[in-house]
Amino acid sequence: SQQGEEDPQALSIQEGENATMNCSYKTSINNLQWYRQNSGRGLVHLILIRSNEREKHSGRLRVTLDTSKKSSSLLITASRAADTASYFCATDPWSMQGGSEKLVFGKGMKLTVNP
Amino acid sequence: EPEVTQTPSHQVTQMGQEVILRCVPISNHLYFYWYRQILGQKVEFLVSFYNNEISEKSEIFDDQFSVERPDGSNFTLKIRSTKLEDSAMYFCASSFSETGRDTFGSGTRLTVV
């Protein structure tokens, strides 16, 4: 399996419900970032959580990080139809030689919020 | 909020032709990247650039590809002799530090016919 895998692959919910997406990864990391992508469009940065942080909030977003389990979750509360998009986690792998400078993306999770 | 700007947004080119994809990173950023996303697939790292040289590249980034920062603002990706399989969305990104937030541009959709 790949570094940065989102689970589930697709999620369909009703407006107002919460959406939880999970991401697992394999190597040690400096940070983990979540991005959103509307169909065929650019990547929008949502939130960055560093390896020494356990939880972070930004508006309706809550991200958790469990480095012992090498996993992260993104919670979107009170979802809206406009939240419909693909969501990616991306890890910044740690190496003894210093930062690897690249992000390793998961395959993405397609969220559909029905009005 | 500062943005990474990419041009063009769409490019169609014939197989075998050379293309140059352009990016203007955020002005005070020091690290620059190119990624690509083949339709329906994951975003893949191509190359990182720091201090006027390539600092890391993936297996995808072969001799067909090159990057350049010709002046203080632009960052370009050149693909020589394009192949059909080069069709993808190409994203430029920049960051201020190695482990900081990476800001992505809106991408250039390259179609090789």
PDB file of all heavy atoms in Angstrom, chain A residues 2 31 33 35 37 40 42-43 45 48 50 88 92 99-103 105-106, chain B residues 33 35 37 42-43 45 48 55-56 89 91 98-102 104 106 109:
ATOM      1  N   GLN A   2       0.282   2.392  -0.268  1.00  0.00           N
ATOM      2  CA  GLN A   2       1.030   3.600  -0.501  1.00  0.00           C
ATOM      3  C   GLN A   2       1.126   4.442   0.759  1.00  0.00           C
ATOM      4  O   GLN A   2       0.280   4.384   1.640  1.00  0.00           O
ATOM      5  CB  GLN A   2       0.309   4.417  -1.588  1.00  0.00           C
ATOM      6  CG  GLN A   2       0.119   3.682  -2.889  1.00  0.00           C
ATOM      7  CD  GLN A   2       1.406   3.521  -3.644  1.00  0.00           C
ATOM      8  OE1 GLN A   2       2.245   4.400  -3.634  1.00  0.00           O
ATOM      9  NE2 GLN A   2       1.580   2.379  -4.269  1.00  0.00           N
ATOM     10  N   ASN A  31       5.530  16.702   8.893  1.00  0.00           N
ATOM     11  CA  ASN A  31       4.175  17.219   9.013  1.00  0.00           C
ATOM     12  C   ASN A  31       3.253  16.471   8.076  1.00  0.00           C
ATOM     13  O   ASN A  31       3.705  15.677   7.226  1.00  0.00           O
ATOM     14  CB  ASN A  31       4.125  18.733   8.730  1.00  0.00           C
ATOM     15  CG  ASN A  31       4.489  19.073   7.289  1.00  0.00           C
ATOM     16  OD1 ASN A  31       3.849  18.625   6.361  1.00  0.00           O
ATOM     17  ND2 ASN A  31       5.524  19.888   7.116  1.00  0.00           N
ATOM     18  N   GLN A  33      -0.280  17.302   5.713  1.00  0.00           N
ATOM     19  CA  GLN A  33      -1.121  18.387   5.202  1.00  0.00           C
ATOM     20  C   GLN A  33      -2.357  17.801   4.520  1.00  0.00           C
ATOM     21  O   GLN A  33      -2.280  16.747   3.897  1.00  0.00           O
ATOM     22  CB  GLN A  33      -0.326  19.246   4.206  1.00  0.00           C
ATOM     23  CG  GLN A  33       0.955  19.822   4.828  1.00  0.00           C
ATOM     24  CD  GLN A  33       1.735  20.710   3.895  1.00  0.00           C
ATOM     25  OE1 GLN A  33       1.197  21.637   3.304  1.00  0.00           O
ATOM     26  NE2 GLN A  33       3.035  20.448   3.782  1.00  0.00           N
ATOM     27  N   TYR A  35      -5.359  18.626   1.718  1.00  0.00           N
ATOM     28  CA  TYR A  35      -5.696  19.487   0.592  1.00  0.00           C
ATOM     29  C   TYR A  35      -7.074  19.098   0.075  1.00  0.00           C
ATOM     30  O   TYR A  35      -7.527  17.959   0.217  1.00  0.00           O
ATOM     31  CB  TYR A  35      -4.686  19.320  -0.550  1.00  0.00           C
ATOM     32  CG  TYR A  35      -3.336  19.913  -0.269  1.00  0.00           C
ATOM     33  CD1 TYR A  35      -2.370  19.195   0.419  1.00  0.00           C
ATOM     34  CD2 TYR A  35      -3.027  21.201  -0.698  1.00  0.00           C
ATOM     35  CE1 TYR A  35      -1.130  19.742   0.681  1.00  0.00           C
ATOM     36  CE2 TYR A  35      -1.781  21.758  -0.443  1.00  0.00           C
ATOM     37  CZ  TYR A  35      -0.844  21.015   0.242  1.00  0.00           C
ATOM     38  OH  TYR A  35       0.396  21.571   0.498  1.00  0.00           O
ATOM     39  N   GLN A  37      -9.516  19.366  -3.523  1.00  0.00           N
ATOM     40  CA  GLN A  37      -9.474  19.593  -4.958  1.00  0.00           C
ATOM     41  C   GLN A  37     -10.868  19.456  -5.522  1.00  0.00           C
ATOM     42  O   GLN A  37     -11.474  18.378  -5.427  1.00  0.00           O
ATOM     43  CB  GLN A  37      -8.526  18.599  -5.647  1.00  0.00           C
ATOM     44  CG  GLN A  37      -8.385  18.846  -7.143  1.00  0.00           C
ATOM     45  CD  GLN A  37      -7.485  17.817  -7.812  1.00  0.00           C
ATOM     46  OE1 GLN A  37      -7.497  16.642  -7.475  1.00  0.00           O
ATOM     47  NE2 GLN A  37      -6.680  18.273  -8.770  1.00  0.00           N
ATOM     48  N   GLY A  40     -11.104  18.435 -11.263  1.00  0.00           N
ATOM     49  CA  GLY A  40     -10.256  18.935 -12.328  1.00  0.00           C
ATOM     50  C   GLY A  40      -9.602  20.273 -12.056  1.00  0.00           C
ATOM     51  O   GLY A  40      -9.053  20.893 -12.964  1.00  0.00           O
ATOM     52  N   GLY A  42      -7.410  23.042  -9.094  1.00  0.00           N
ATOM     53  CA  GLY A  42      -6.182  23.077  -8.328  1.00  0.00           C
ATOM     54  C   GLY A  42      -6.330  22.523  -6.924  1.00  0.00           C
ATOM     55  O   GLY A  42      -7.420  22.193  -6.471  1.00  0.00           O
ATOM     56  N   LEU A  43      -5.198  22.423  -6.257  1.00  0.00           N
ATOM     57  CA  LEU A  43      -5.150  21.916  -4.885  1.00  0.00           C
ATOM     58  C   LEU A  43      -5.202  23.095  -3.916  1.00  0.00           C
ATOM     59  O   LEU A  43      -4.370  23.983  -3.979  1.00  0.00           O
ATOM     60  CB  LEU A  43      -3.863  21.129  -4.659  1.00  0.00           C
ATOM     61  CG  LEU A  43      -3.758  19.822  -5.435  1.00  0.00           C
ATOM     62  CD1 LEU A  43      -2.316  19.339  -5.466  1.00  0.00           C
ATOM     63  CD2 LEU A  43      -4.647  18.762  -4.801  1.00  0.00           C
ATOM     64  N   HIS A  45      -4.905  24.282  -0.099  1.00  0.00           N
ATOM     65  CA  HIS A  45      -4.381  23.867   1.196  1.00  0.00           C
ATOM     66  C   HIS A  45      -5.430  24.109   2.271  1.00  0.00           C
ATOM     67  O   HIS A  45      -6.015  25.192   2.355  1.00  0.00           O
ATOM     68  CB  HIS A  45      -3.113  24.657   1.512  1.00  0.00           C
ATOM     69  CG  HIS A  45      -2.398  24.180   2.726  1.00  0.00           C
ATOM     70  ND1 HIS A  45      -2.679  24.658   3.983  1.00  0.00           N
ATOM     71  CD2 HIS A  45      -1.432  23.251   2.882  1.00  0.00           C
ATOM     72  CE1 HIS A  45      -1.907  24.049   4.850  1.00  0.00           C
ATOM     73  NE2 HIS A  45      -1.140  23.197   4.208  1.00  0.00           N
ATOM     74  N   LEU A  48      -2.264  22.219   8.005  1.00  0.00           N
ATOM     75  CA  LEU A  48      -0.994  21.521   8.220  1.00  0.00           C
ATOM     76  C   LEU A  48      -0.895  21.179   9.696  1.00  0.00           C
ATOM     77  O   LEU A  48      -1.141  22.045  10.547  1.00  0.00           O
ATOM     78  CB  LEU A  48       0.187  22.405   7.798  1.00  0.00           C
ATOM     79  CG  LEU A  48       1.609  21.877   7.966  1.00  0.00           C
ATOM     80  CD1 LEU A  48       2.539  22.553   6.949  1.00  0.00           C
ATOM     81  CD2 LEU A  48       2.160  22.075   9.363  1.00  0.00           C
ATOM     82  N   ARG A  50       1.821  19.448  12.453  1.00  0.00           N
ATOM     83  CA  ARG A  50       3.206  19.018  12.593  1.00  0.00           C
ATOM     84  C   ARG A  50       3.257  17.732  13.416  1.00  0.00           C
ATOM     85  O   ARG A  50       2.342  17.406  14.161  1.00  0.00           O
ATOM     86  CB  ARG A  50       4.042  20.117  13.246  1.00  0.00           C
ATOM     87  CG  ARG A  50       4.058  21.373  12.405  1.00  0.00           C
ATOM     88  CD  ARG A  50       5.174  22.327  12.768  1.00  0.00           C
ATOM     89  NE  ARG A  50       5.090  23.524  11.937  1.00  0.00           N
ATOM     90  CZ  ARG A  50       5.582  23.601  10.701  1.00  0.00           C
ATOM     91  NH1 ARG A  50       6.176  22.557  10.164  1.00  0.00           N
ATOM     92  NH2 ARG A  50       5.470  24.707  10.003  1.00  0.00           N
ATOM     93  N   PHE A  88      -7.296  15.190  -0.112  1.00  0.00           N
ATOM     94  CA  PHE A  88      -6.037  14.444  -0.117  1.00  0.00           C
ATOM     95  C   PHE A  88      -5.260  14.730   1.158  1.00  0.00           C
ATOM     96  O   PHE A  88      -5.200  15.881   1.612  1.00  0.00           O
ATOM     97  CB  PHE A  88      -5.146  14.894  -1.286  1.00  0.00           C
ATOM     98  CG  PHE A  88      -5.691  14.579  -2.642  1.00  0.00           C
ATOM     99  CD1 PHE A  88      -6.566  15.451  -3.270  1.00  0.00           C
ATOM    100  CD2 PHE A  88      -5.315  13.420  -3.296  1.00  0.00           C
ATOM    101  CE1 PHE A  88      -7.068  15.172  -4.537  1.00  0.00           C
ATOM    102  CE2 PHE A  88      -5.809  13.135  -4.557  1.00  0.00           C
ATOM    103  CZ  PHE A  88      -6.687  14.011  -5.171  1.00  0.00           C
ATOM    104  N   ASP A  92       4.904  14.934   4.616  1.00  0.00           N
ATOM    105  CA  ASP A  92       6.254  15.445   4.403  1.00  0.00           C
ATOM    106  C   ASP A  92       7.178  14.499   5.156  1.00  0.00           C
ATOM    107  O   ASP A  92       7.315  14.602   6.383  1.00  0.00           O
ATOM    108  CB  ASP A  92       6.346  16.871   4.940  1.00  0.00           C
ATOM    109  CG  ASP A  92       7.738  17.461   4.826  1.00  0.00           C
ATOM    110  OD1 ASP A  92       8.648  16.776   4.307  1.00  0.00           O
ATOM    111  OD2 ASP A  92       7.924  18.607   5.265  1.00  0.00           O
ATOM    112  N   GLY A  99      15.102  17.385   5.688  1.00  0.00           N
ATOM    113  CA  GLY A  99      13.820  17.310   5.002  1.00  0.00           C
ATOM    114  C   GLY A  99      13.962  16.790   3.595  1.00  0.00           C
ATOM    115  O   GLY A  99      14.893  17.112   2.877  1.00  0.00           O
ATOM    116  N   SER A 100      13.026  15.954   3.169  1.00  0.00           N
ATOM    117  CA  SER A 100      13.081  15.429   1.818  1.00  0.00           C
ATOM    118  C   SER A 100      12.513  16.420   0.820  1.00  0.00           C
ATOM    119  O   SER A 100      12.666  16.234  -0.370  1.00  0.00           O
ATOM    120  CB  SER A 100      12.304  14.122   1.734  1.00  0.00           C
ATOM    121  OG  SER A 100      10.919  14.392   1.819  1.00  0.00           O
ATOM    122  N   GLU A 101      11.849  17.425   1.327  1.00  0.00           N
ATOM    123  CA  GLU A 101      11.340  18.520   0.501  1.00  0.00           C
ATOM    124  C   GLU A 101      10.210  18.139  -0.416  1.00  0.00           C
ATOM    125  O   GLU A 101       9.787  18.946  -1.216  1.00  0.00           O
ATOM    126  CB  GLU A 101      12.462  19.169  -0.322  1.00  0.00           C
ATOM    127  CG  GLU A 101      13.555  19.779   0.538  1.00  0.00           C
ATOM    128  CD  GLU A 101      14.670  20.334  -0.309  1.00  0.00           C
ATOM    129  OE1 GLU A 101      14.401  20.753  -1.439  1.00  0.00           O
ATOM    130  OE2 GLU A 101      15.814  20.351   0.151  1.00  0.00           O
ATOM    131  N   LYS A 102       9.746  16.948  -0.390  1.00  0.00           N
ATOM    132  CA  LYS A 102       8.640  16.611  -1.262  1.00  0.00           C
ATOM    133  C   LYS A 102       7.470  16.148  -0.413  1.00  0.00           C
ATOM    134  O   LYS A 102       7.634  15.690   0.708  1.00  0.00           O
ATOM    135  CB  LYS A 102       9.033  15.506  -2.234  1.00  0.00           C
ATOM    136  CG  LYS A 102       9.239  14.162  -1.578  1.00  0.00           C
ATOM    137  CD  LYS A 102       9.652  13.109  -2.566  1.00  0.00           C
ATOM    138  CE  LYS A 102       9.817  11.770  -1.876  1.00  0.00           C
ATOM    139  NZ  LYS A 102      10.406  10.758  -2.750  1.00  0.00           N
ATOM    140  N   LEU A 103       6.295  16.273  -0.976  1.00  0.00           N
ATOM    141  CA  LEU A 103       5.099  15.749  -0.354  1.00  0.00           C
ATOM    142  C   LEU A 103       4.722  14.438  -1.015  1.00  0.00           C
ATOM    143  O   LEU A 103       4.862  14.288  -2.224  1.00  0.00           O
ATOM    144  CB  LEU A 103       3.934  16.724  -0.494  1.00  0.00           C
ATOM    145  CG  LEU A 103       4.019  18.023   0.304  1.00  0.00           C
ATOM    146  CD1 LEU A 103       2.804  18.886   0.017  1.00  0.00           C
ATOM    147  CD2 LEU A 103       4.135  17.745   1.788  1.00  0.00           C
ATOM    148  N   PHE A 105       1.547  12.167  -1.635  1.00  0.00           N
ATOM    149  CA  PHE A 105       0.094  12.279  -1.595  1.00  0.00           C
ATOM    150  C   PHE A 105      -0.574  10.916  -1.543  1.00  0.00           C
ATOM    151  O   PHE A 105      -0.083   9.944  -2.129  1.00  0.00           O
ATOM    152  CB  PHE A 105      -0.416  13.004  -2.847  1.00  0.00           C
ATOM    153  CG  PHE A 105      -0.290  14.489  -2.780  1.00  0.00           C
ATOM    154  CD1 PHE A 105       0.915  15.105  -3.035  1.00  0.00           C
ATOM    155  CD2 PHE A 105      -1.386  15.269  -2.446  1.00  0.00           C
ATOM    156  CE1 PHE A 105       1.038  16.485  -2.966  1.00  0.00           C
ATOM    157  CE2 PHE A 105      -1.282  16.651  -2.382  1.00  0.00           C
ATOM    158  CZ  PHE A 105      -0.062  17.258  -2.640  1.00  0.00           C
ATOM    159  N   GLY A 106      -1.715  10.874  -0.890  1.00  0.00           N
ATOM    160  CA  GLY A 106      -2.584   9.720  -0.989  1.00  0.00           C
ATOM    161  C   GLY A 106      -3.401   9.789  -2.254  1.00  0.00           C
ATOM    162  O   GLY A 106      -3.308  10.746  -3.030  1.00  0.00           O
TER     163      GLY A 106
ATOM    164  N   TYR B  33       8.535  23.588  -6.386  1.00  0.00           N
ATOM    165  CA  TYR B  33       8.265  22.194  -6.722  1.00  0.00           C
ATOM    166  C   TYR B  33       7.393  22.110  -7.973  1.00  0.00           C
ATOM    167  O   TYR B  33       6.598  23.004  -8.251  1.00  0.00           O
ATOM    168  CB  TYR B  33       7.496  21.506  -5.583  1.00  0.00           C
ATOM    169  CG  TYR B  33       8.041  21.767  -4.202  1.00  0.00           C
ATOM    170  CD1 TYR B  33       7.605  22.860  -3.458  1.00  0.00           C
ATOM    171  CD2 TYR B  33       8.984  20.923  -3.635  1.00  0.00           C
ATOM    172  CE1 TYR B  33       8.098  23.102  -2.189  1.00  0.00           C
ATOM    173  CE2 TYR B  33       9.472  21.161  -2.358  1.00  0.00           C
ATOM    174  CZ  TYR B  33       9.026  22.254  -1.647  1.00  0.00           C
ATOM    175  OH  TYR B  33       9.514  22.494  -0.391  1.00  0.00           O
ATOM    176  N   TYR B  35       4.718  19.071  -9.451  1.00  0.00           N
ATOM    177  CA  TYR B  35       4.029  17.799  -9.277  1.00  0.00           C
ATOM    178  C   TYR B  35       3.158  17.586 -10.514  1.00  0.00           C
ATOM    179  O   TYR B  35       2.848  18.535 -11.230  1.00  0.00           O
ATOM    180  CB  TYR B  35       3.108  17.828  -8.055  1.00  0.00           C
ATOM    181  CG  TYR B  35       3.798  17.881  -6.719  1.00  0.00           C
ATOM    182  CD1 TYR B  35       4.322  19.073  -6.226  1.00  0.00           C
ATOM    183  CD2 TYR B  35       3.914  16.739  -5.933  1.00  0.00           C
ATOM    184  CE1 TYR B  35       4.953  19.128  -4.992  1.00  0.00           C
ATOM    185  CE2 TYR B  35       4.531  16.781  -4.686  1.00  0.00           C
ATOM    186  CZ  TYR B  35       5.048  17.977  -4.231  1.00  0.00           C
ATOM    187  OH  TYR B  35       5.666  18.025  -3.004  1.00  0.00           O
ATOM    188  N   GLN B  37      -0.450  15.255 -11.941  1.00  0.00           N
ATOM    189  CA  GLN B  37      -1.570  14.375 -11.609  1.00  0.00           C
ATOM    190  C   GLN B  37      -2.200  13.909 -12.907  1.00  0.00           C
ATOM    191  O   GLN B  37      -2.854  14.690 -13.604  1.00  0.00           O
ATOM    192  CB  GLN B  37      -2.592  15.111 -10.745  1.00  0.00           C
ATOM    193  CG  GLN B  37      -3.743  14.224 -10.290  1.00  0.00           C
ATOM    194  CD  GLN B  37      -4.795  15.009  -9.517  1.00  0.00           C
ATOM    195  OE1 GLN B  37      -5.019  16.185  -9.779  1.00  0.00           O
ATOM    196  NE2 GLN B  37      -5.429  14.362  -8.562  1.00  0.00           N
ATOM    197  N   LYS B  42      -3.287   9.778  -8.364  1.00  0.00           N
ATOM    198  CA  LYS B  42      -2.772  10.589  -7.267  1.00  0.00           C
ATOM    199  C   LYS B  42      -1.782  11.630  -7.779  1.00  0.00           C
ATOM    200  O   LYS B  42      -1.251  11.537  -8.882  1.00  0.00           O
ATOM    201  CB  LYS B  42      -2.117   9.714  -6.210  1.00  0.00           C
ATOM    202  CG  LYS B  42      -0.936   8.914  -6.680  1.00  0.00           C
ATOM    203  CD  LYS B  42      -0.135   8.340  -5.526  1.00  0.00           C
ATOM    204  CE  LYS B  42      -0.895   7.435  -4.637  1.00  0.00           C
ATOM    205  NZ  LYS B  42      -0.052   6.865  -3.541  1.00  0.00           N
ATOM    206  N   VAL B  43      -1.561  12.621  -6.963  1.00  0.00           N
ATOM    207  CA  VAL B  43      -0.591  13.666  -7.265  1.00  0.00           C
ATOM    208  C   VAL B  43       0.801  13.089  -7.029  1.00  0.00           C
ATOM    209  O   VAL B  43       1.086  12.523  -5.965  1.00  0.00           O
ATOM    210  CB  VAL B  43      -0.825  14.885  -6.360  1.00  0.00           C
ATOM    211  CG1 VAL B  43       0.228  15.945  -6.626  1.00  0.00           C
ATOM    212  CG2 VAL B  43      -2.223  15.448  -6.581  1.00  0.00           C
ATOM    213  N   PHE B  45       5.054  13.612  -7.124  1.00  0.00           N
ATOM    214  CA  PHE B  45       6.172  14.550  -7.068  1.00  0.00           C
ATOM    215  C   PHE B  45       7.061  14.394  -8.299  1.00  0.00           C
ATOM    216  O   PHE B  45       7.372  13.281  -8.719  1.00  0.00           O
ATOM    217  CB  PHE B  45       6.973  14.279  -5.795  1.00  0.00           C
ATOM    218  CG  PHE B  45       8.299  14.971  -5.724  1.00  0.00           C
ATOM    219  CD1 PHE B  45       8.381  16.315  -5.429  1.00  0.00           C
ATOM    220  CD2 PHE B  45       9.471  14.270  -5.944  1.00  0.00           C
ATOM    221  CE1 PHE B  45       9.607  16.956  -5.351  1.00  0.00           C
ATOM    222  CE2 PHE B  45      10.701  14.893  -5.861  1.00  0.00           C
ATOM    223  CZ  PHE B  45      10.783  16.241  -5.566  1.00  0.00           C
ATOM    224  N   SER B  48      12.061  19.091  -6.900  1.00  0.00           N
ATOM    225  CA  SER B  48      12.129  20.238  -6.002  1.00  0.00           C
ATOM    226  C   SER B  48      13.363  21.053  -6.349  1.00  0.00           C
ATOM    227  O   SER B  48      14.363  20.518  -6.845  1.00  0.00           O
ATOM    228  CB  SER B  48      12.152  19.802  -4.535  1.00  0.00           C
ATOM    229  OG  SER B  48      13.257  18.974  -4.282  1.00  0.00           O
ATOM    230  N   SER B  55      17.109  20.016  -5.971  1.00  0.00           N
ATOM    231  CA  SER B  55      17.508  19.389  -4.710  1.00  0.00           C
ATOM    232  C   SER B  55      17.018  17.947  -4.625  1.00  0.00           C
ATOM    233  O   SER B  55      17.628  17.140  -3.934  1.00  0.00           O
ATOM    234  CB  SER B  55      17.006  20.184  -3.518  1.00  0.00           C
ATOM    235  OG  SER B  55      15.660  20.558  -3.691  1.00  0.00           O
ATOM    236  N   GLU B  56      15.959  17.637  -5.329  1.00  0.00           N
ATOM    237  CA  GLU B  56      15.468  16.269  -5.332  1.00  0.00           C
ATOM    238  C   GLU B  56      14.617  16.071  -6.581  1.00  0.00           C
ATOM    239  O   GLU B  56      13.955  17.001  -7.033  1.00  0.00           O
ATOM    240  CB  GLU B  56      14.638  15.991  -4.073  1.00  0.00           C
ATOM    241  CG  GLU B  56      14.302  14.547  -3.837  1.00  0.00           C
ATOM    242  CD  GLU B  56      13.657  14.308  -2.481  1.00  0.00           C
ATOM    243  OE1 GLU B  56      13.533  15.263  -1.689  1.00  0.00           O
ATOM    244  OE2 GLU B  56      13.278  13.158  -2.219  1.00  0.00           O
ATOM    245  N   MET B  89      -2.341  16.954 -15.362  1.00  0.00           N
ATOM    246  CA  MET B  89      -2.375  18.281 -14.743  1.00  0.00           C
ATOM    247  C   MET B  89      -1.031  18.457 -14.054  1.00  0.00           C
ATOM    248  O   MET B  89      -0.590  17.590 -13.302  1.00  0.00           O
ATOM    249  CB  MET B  89      -3.515  18.348 -13.721  1.00  0.00           C
ATOM    250  CG  MET B  89      -3.637  19.697 -13.055  1.00  0.00           C
ATOM    251  SD  MET B  89      -4.458  20.892 -14.094  1.00  0.00           S
ATOM    252  CE  MET B  89      -6.100  20.791 -13.415  1.00  0.00           C
ATOM    253  N   PHE B  91       1.189  20.708 -11.506  1.00  0.00           N
ATOM    254  CA  PHE B  91       1.061  21.685 -10.429  1.00  0.00           C
ATOM    255  C   PHE B  91       2.427  22.206 -10.018  1.00  0.00           C
ATOM    256  O   PHE B  91       3.366  21.441  -9.823  1.00  0.00           O
ATOM    257  CB  PHE B  91       0.415  21.051  -9.191  1.00  0.00           C
ATOM    258  CG  PHE B  91      -1.022  20.683  -9.368  1.00  0.00           C
ATOM    259  CD1 PHE B  91      -1.398  19.352  -9.496  1.00  0.00           C
ATOM    260  CD2 PHE B  91      -2.018  21.655  -9.382  1.00  0.00           C
ATOM    261  CE1 PHE B  91      -2.729  19.002  -9.648  1.00  0.00           C
ATOM    262  CE2 PHE B  91      -3.346  21.310  -9.534  1.00  0.00           C
ATOM    263  CZ  PHE B  91      -3.706  19.984  -9.672  1.00  0.00           C
ATOM    264  N   GLU B  98      11.565  24.214   4.399  1.00  0.00           N
ATOM    265  CA  GLU B  98      11.516  22.795   4.014  1.00  0.00           C
ATOM    266  C   GLU B  98      10.292  22.094   4.565  1.00  0.00           C
ATOM    267  O   GLU B  98       9.722  21.226   3.920  1.00  0.00           O
ATOM    268  CB  GLU B  98      12.747  22.074   4.559  1.00  0.00           C
ATOM    269  CG  GLU B  98      13.933  22.075   3.650  1.00  0.00           C
ATOM    270  CD  GLU B  98      15.046  21.211   4.197  1.00  0.00           C
ATOM    271  OE1 GLU B  98      15.214  21.163   5.432  1.00  0.00           O
ATOM    272  OE2 GLU B  98      15.736  20.587   3.403  1.00  0.00           O
ATOM    273  N   THR B  99       9.915  22.449   5.768  1.00  0.00           N
ATOM    274  CA  THR B  99       8.819  21.716   6.422  1.00  0.00           C
ATOM    275  C   THR B  99       7.594  22.591   6.606  1.00  0.00           C
ATOM    276  O   THR B  99       6.718  22.294   7.405  1.00  0.00           O
ATOM    277  CB  THR B  99       9.272  21.171   7.786  1.00  0.00           C
ATOM    278  OG1 THR B  99       9.725  22.269   8.585  1.00  0.00           O
ATOM    279  CG2 THR B  99      10.396  20.171   7.625  1.00  0.00           C
ATOM    280  N   GLY B 100       7.532  23.680   5.883  1.00  0.00           N
ATOM    281  CA  GLY B 100       6.394  24.580   5.994  1.00  0.00           C
ATOM    282  C   GLY B 100       5.284  24.229   5.035  1.00  0.00           C
ATOM    283  O   GLY B 100       5.366  23.286   4.248  1.00  0.00           O
ATOM    284  N   ARG B 101       4.272  25.029   5.110  1.00  0.00           N
ATOM    285  CA  ARG B 101       3.096  24.833   4.252  1.00  0.00           C
ATOM    286  C   ARG B 101       3.476  24.988   2.788  1.00  0.00           C
ATOM    287  O   ARG B 101       4.167  25.933   2.401  1.00  0.00           O
ATOM    288  CB  ARG B 101       2.049  25.866   4.635  1.00  0.00           C
ATOM    289  CG  ARG B 101       0.931  25.999   3.638  1.00  0.00           C
ATOM    290  CD  ARG B 101      -0.029  27.079   4.067  1.00  0.00           C
ATOM    291  NE  ARG B 101      -0.892  27.453   2.968  1.00  0.00           N
ATOM    292  CZ  ARG B 101      -1.950  28.242   3.092  1.00  0.00           C
ATOM    293  NH1 ARG B 101      -2.266  28.728   4.276  1.00  0.00           N
ATOM    294  NH2 ARG B 101      -2.681  28.550   2.047  1.00  0.00           N
ATOM    295  N   ASP B 102       3.027  24.046   1.988  1.00  0.00           N
ATOM    296  CA  ASP B 102       3.247  24.103   0.553  1.00  0.00           C
ATOM    297  C   ASP B 102       1.999  24.680  -0.115  1.00  0.00           C
ATOM    298  O   ASP B 102       0.918  24.130   0.044  1.00  0.00           O
ATOM    299  CB  ASP B 102       3.515  22.701   0.002  1.00  0.00           C
ATOM    300  CG  ASP B 102       4.776  22.097   0.589  1.00  0.00           C
ATOM    301  OD1 ASP B 102       4.672  21.474   1.669  1.00  0.00           O
ATOM    302  OD2 ASP B 102       5.836  22.265   0.001  1.00  0.00           O
ATOM    303  N   PHE B 104       0.020  25.498  -3.490  1.00  0.00           N
ATOM    304  CA  PHE B 104      -0.042  25.020  -4.861  1.00  0.00           C
ATOM    305  C   PHE B 104      -0.722  26.035  -5.772  1.00  0.00           C
ATOM    306  O   PHE B 104      -1.640  26.760  -5.355  1.00  0.00           O
ATOM    307  CB  PHE B 104      -0.822  23.703  -4.930  1.00  0.00           C
ATOM    308  CG  PHE B 104      -0.025  22.506  -4.505  1.00  0.00           C
ATOM    309  CD1 PHE B 104       0.271  22.291  -3.170  1.00  0.00           C
ATOM    310  CD2 PHE B 104       0.435  21.591  -5.437  1.00  0.00           C
ATOM    311  CE1 PHE B 104       1.020  21.194  -2.768  1.00  0.00           C
ATOM    312  CE2 PHE B 104       1.180  20.481  -5.050  1.00  0.00           C
ATOM    313  CZ  PHE B 104       1.473  20.281  -3.713  1.00  0.00           C
ATOM    314  N   SER B 106      -2.980  26.631  -9.380  1.00  0.00           N
ATOM    315  CA  SER B 106      -4.224  26.007  -9.851  1.00  0.00           C
ATOM    316  C   SER B 106      -3.982  25.005 -10.964  1.00  0.00           C
ATOM    317  O   SER B 106      -4.910  24.333 -11.400  1.00  0.00           O
ATOM    318  CB  SER B 106      -5.216  27.078 -10.295  1.00  0.00           C
ATOM    319  OG  SER B 106      -4.611  27.905 -11.257  1.00  0.00           O
ATOM    320  N   ARG B 109      -3.320  22.169 -17.284  1.00  0.00           N
ATOM    321  CA  ARG B 109      -3.749  20.882 -17.858  1.00  0.00           C
ATOM    322  C   ARG B 109      -3.086  20.730 -19.215  1.00  0.00           C
ATOM    323  O   ARG B 109      -3.366  21.494 -20.134  1.00  0.00           O
ATOM    324  CB  ARG B 109      -5.271  20.826 -17.994  1.00  0.00           C
ATOM    325  CG  ARG B 109      -5.746  19.496 -18.557  1.00  0.00           C
ATOM    326  CD  ARG B 109      -7.246  19.322 -18.469  1.00  0.00           C
ATOM    327  NE  ARG B 109      -7.741  19.292 -17.121  1.00  0.00           N
ATOM    328  CZ  ARG B 109      -7.628  18.280 -16.278  1.00  0.00           C
ATOM    329  NH1 ARG B 109      -7.020  17.165 -16.668  1.00  0.00           N
ATOM    330  NH2 ARG B 109      -8.117  18.354 -15.064  1.00  0.00           N
TER     331      ARG B 109
END
